[in-house]
Amino acid sequence: MLNFIDHSGPQASAAEIIQGLEANPPQVSPRYLYDALGSQLFTAITELPEYYPTRTEHAIFAGYGAAIAASIGTGRTLVDLGAGDCAKAAQLMPQLIPSHYVAIDIAADYLRKAAHGIAQRFPAMQVTAIAMDFFEGLDWPEEIDKSRLLFFYPGSSIGNFPPKDAEQFLRKLGQINPPSDLLIGVDLVKSTAVLEAAYDDALGVTACFNLNLLLHLNRLIGADFNVRNFQHRAIFNREASRIEMSLVSRSNQQVRWNGGERHFAQGDALLTEYSYKYRKEDFQALLQRAGFEFVQCWQDEDNNFMVCHARTI
Ligand code: AVJ
């Protein structure tokens, strides 16, 4: 029942990584946070007391699953963007009853196992797993039927894009085969203390997650980053409405890689991730600019997180 398609293509682009490291200020795409260990560390993050998004979204799906299914309808092709362990989609399947589940993720091995489990649990549903990086936009694989698409983009992963890029990404999704629907999780603006704790937890799991990116880079570009020489930092920039996660150099040091090197002075920050936070009205306006009509949204009591249903006009 499971159809697996490998569109992962050439893995990481060393040239792109090096260009970012040589830029001022230096930066690395957050996609490099997710090697095998990084994916497991992210799963650990979702269980931390301070990291509210995953459990809040889970509670919204649990409380409003029937309402969500009533708003969207059943029998759709559920396209899971960044499926990971497929658990979030699986939570809604008994109510959404998709005819076809298309799980997309960059972590191929992890995805294949998870999708296999889903295919066994829901034998009446067609399951397709696609190993693909859709960060630069989703190129729809020709071998997959694109009728009655429901894009599922939970976890506030949209927050990794700056708002202009988020708008463009969503517009392209909507243009694949309109009319289509979108069910998306969005993290909301809140107090600095709550936001910063979520990205700098007491156990230091997020610090490990961030620092592990350096080990990933060491393998990808033959770099010699010493994890002990960098410190995790996550601050909320309220003006830009985003968490800024970076790795700060603990000393003056030289870092080398295949064909290049760079000096990091003590206090220099290597930017690893932005995580944008929205006000409800601002996200609705963004959806509209991206060519979607806002249908309905569901939030937790404390307005920490929201799940939106929108459809292309
Ligand atoms: C997977 C992008 C939603 O921004 O909250 C968690 C990743 N980074 N802790 C987020 C993340 C640090 C996460 N997203």
Side-chain angles (χ1 to χ4, degrees):
M1 275 296 8
L2 171 67
N3 178 19
F4 184 80
I5 302 173
D6 199 338
H7 272 289
S8 49
Q11 275 305 302
S13 156
E16 181 215 63
I17 295 169
I18 290 166
Q19 193 183 15
L21 289 174
E22 289 175 346
N24 287 305
Q27 48 192 286
V28 186
S29 165
R31 66 157 78 85
Y32 301 112
L33 291 164
Y34 301 93
D35 62 352
L37 178 56
S39 298
Q40 296 201 46
L41 288 169
F42 177 68
T43 301
I45 286 173
T46 65
E47 295 184 24
L48 294 169
E50 296 96 331
Y51 194 75
Y52 60 85
T54 310
R55 85 173 57 84
T56 308
E57 187 180 55
H58 185 274
I60 294 169
F61 289 158
Y64 301 107
I68 291 169
S71 186
I72 293 169
T74 58
R76 309 295 297 269
T77 294
L78 173 55
V79 183
D80 192 348
L81 301 166
D85 60 7
C86 305
K88 292 175 181 181
Q91 191 190 354
L92 288 173
M93 274 170 197
Q95 283 151 321
L96 279 176
I97 321 175
S99 55
H100 187 181
Y101 175 54
V102 179
I104 305 178
D105 205 285
I106 33 175
D109 292 340
Y110 201 73
L111 176 69
R112 189 200 295 262
K113 280 179 209 144
H116 181 71
I118 292 291
Q120 286 187 321
R121 257 178 79 191
F122 301 95
M125 184 177 70
Q126 189 187 344
V127 179
T128 305
I130 312 176
M132 179 166 68
D133 184 356
F134 56 86
F135 208 71
E136 308 295 341
L138 180 63
D139 286 322
W140 191 257
E142 280 178 15
E143 51 271 65
I144 300 174
D145 175 47
K146 55 182 184 182
S147 61
R148 311 200 69 211
L149 299 180
L150 163 61
F151 295 103
F152 182 55
Y153 201 25
S156 75
S157 294
I158 191 72
N160 277 159
F161 294 104
K164 279 266 169 291
D165 297 357
E167 184 185 322
Q168 199 195 350
F169 177 80
L170 294 177
R171 183 178 304 110
K172 280 195 203 156
L173 271 191
Q175 286 169 348
I176 291 173
N177 191 36
S180 54
D181 290 72
L182 172 69
L183 186 65
I184 187 167
V186 183
D187 198 12
L188 299 171
V189 176
K190 56 186 65 64
S191 80
T192 299
V194 169
L195 281 168
E196 291 186 348
Y199 291 84
D200 192 5
D201 61 279
L203 277 177
V205 180
T206 308
C208 291
F209 172 68
N210 195 10
L211 286 161
N212 175 61
L213 175 140
L214 298 179
L215 297 182
H216 193 196
L217 292 191
N218 285 351
R219 293 195 309 275
L220 290 174
I221 61 165
D224 67 352
F225 279 103
N226 182 347
V227 166
R228 294 186 193 275
N229 291 348
F230 287 85
Q231 186 174 19
H232 168 67
R233 185 172 74 192
I235 52 167
F236 183 58
N237 177 339
R238 191 165 290 275
E239 232 166 278
S241 201
R242 67 189 180 209
I243 286 282
E244 298 172 351
M245 194 166 87
S246 49
L247 291 163
V248 181
S249 180
R250 292 181 189 269
S251 60
N252 297 317
Q253 55 180 317
Q254 198 72 13
V255 177
R256 295 172 184 81
W257 50 81
N258 293 334
E261 58 187 313
R262 170 173 192 138
H263 181 72
F264 286 88
Q266 187 175 354
D268 280 355
L270 169 62
L271 176 68
T272 55
E273 186 179 45
Y274 284 148
S275 187
Y276 282 84
K277 308 302 169 189
Y278 287 92
R279 294 187 317 139
K280 185 179 166 181
E281 319 75 80
D282 293 342
F283 194 76
Q284 288 175 2
L286 187 152
L287 282 172
Q288 243 161 30
R289 291 195 303 274
F292 284 86
E293 166 193 32
F294 171 79
V295 182
Q296 212 179 327
C297 74
W298 300 270
Q299 285 156 258
D300 60 305
E301 270 182 359
D302 301 324
N303 291 333
N304 278 325
F305 199 92
M306 83 174 160
V307 171
C308 290
H309 173 209
R311 72 167 67 93
T312 53
I313 308 161

